[in-house]
Amino acid sequence: MSLVLDPTAQDLLFREARTANTFTDEPVTDEQVQAIYDLVKYGPTSMNQSPLRITLVRSPEARERLVQHLAEGNQKKTAAAPLVAILSADNEFHEELPNLFPHFPQAKDAVFGERSVREGNAALNAALQAAYFIIGIRAAGLAAGPMTGLDFAGVQKEFLDGDHTPFVVINIGKPGEDAWFPRSPRLEYDEVVTTV
């Protein structure tokens, strides 16, 4: 069976997708980020929770504050990337549920009244949305460099509040010179899928 999506789009979104380590100095505009979000916001989450929150780091001062919390191997590329996004999970996402999940507005309190329940759901569903966001970056003709080598508690204290849990930082831009490491192997279908 073949896929419905055009092979060129398949390549752009998946087969040619790589973590970029260098970028050109071409800016990433607010309009580009808006277009990316306006596409990926339709990706499904459980009960339409939509807990992902995106903090764009643009100013040199904010960039300097962020870089100090990154692992040494991530500092230089983040300092040079045209745009950096801190992705976090909003643990108070349930406040939006009466609007986002209108056929069960009671879910806000009936299902998500406890903070521990919200945190688990926010983490999973924000991670789903982060994957959509990376695919959206690719769809915009840009490259993404997601990173988890950082001091998350430090990033939270520096940029967020106690209700937002950061979980990945993404460098965004046009890929620069020697942007890619060699392609790493992938698991094959029969190594991943089991039928019972």
Side-chain angles (χ1 to χ4, degrees):
M1 177 182 159
S2 62
L3 299 173
V4 174
L5 188 65
D6 177 81
T8 303
Q10 294 174 36
D11 289 343
L12 175 69
L13 299 180
F14 294 99
R15 292 190 196 97
E16 295 174 2
R18 310 281 284 282
T19 295
N21 293 292
T22 67
F23 298 90
T24 69
D25 58 4
E26 182 177 330
V28 177
T29 67
D30 289 335
E31 291 76 19
Q32 287 172 299
V33 177
Q34 175 85 49
I36 291 166
Y37 179 74
D38 285 343
L39 174 65
V40 304
K41 69 183 179 185
Y42 294 107
T45 58
S46 176
M47 297 177 75
N48 201 30
Q49 292 172 23
S50 306
L52 180 68
R53 302 296 179 262
I54 302 166
T55 303
L56 299 177
V57 181
R58 286 203 180 274
S59 73
E61 297 79 18
R63 186 75 58 101
E64 188 175 316
R65 288 168 40 218
L66 175 61
V67 166
Q68 69 180 339
H69 297 290
L70 301 179
E72 186 177 346
N74 292 331
Q75 292 179 351
K76 184 177 178 183
K77 56 189 172 184
T78 300
L83 180 63
V84 183
I86 301 168
L87 273 54
S88 63
D90 181 357
N91 297 304
E92 298 298 311
F93 69 86
H94 69 310
E95 296 293 343
E96 301 291 341
L97 283 181
N99 294 325
L100 294 176
F101 205 61
H103 51 283
F104 183 27
Q106 303 88 345
K108 172 184 178 288
D109 298 313
V111 179
F112 300 108
E114 293 184 28
R115 173 76 178 221
S116 61
V117 173
R118 293 196 304 274
E119 287 177 350
N121 277 270
L124 171 62
N125 286 282
L128 285 173
Q129 289 185 282
Y132 303 144
F133 186 64
I134 291 169
I135 292 170
I137 291 168
R138 297 283 307 163
L142 301 170
M147 302 171 297
T148 56
L150 56 125
D151 171 12
F152 285 108
V155 169
Q156 182 179 35
K157 184 176 180 182
E158 191 78 41
F159 293 95
L160 306 168
D161 60 32
D163 291 331
H164 294 81
T165 304
F167 62 95
V168 66
V169 170
I170 303 179
N171 294 327
I172 304 168
K174 291 279 189 184
E177 188 175 340
D178 297 323
W180 323 113
F181 292 137
R183 169 71 77 189
S184 297
R186 297 297 193 266
L187 295 174
E188 295 300 326
Y189 179 85
D190 60 357
E191 298 175 287
V192 174
V193 177
T194 303
T195 302
V196 295

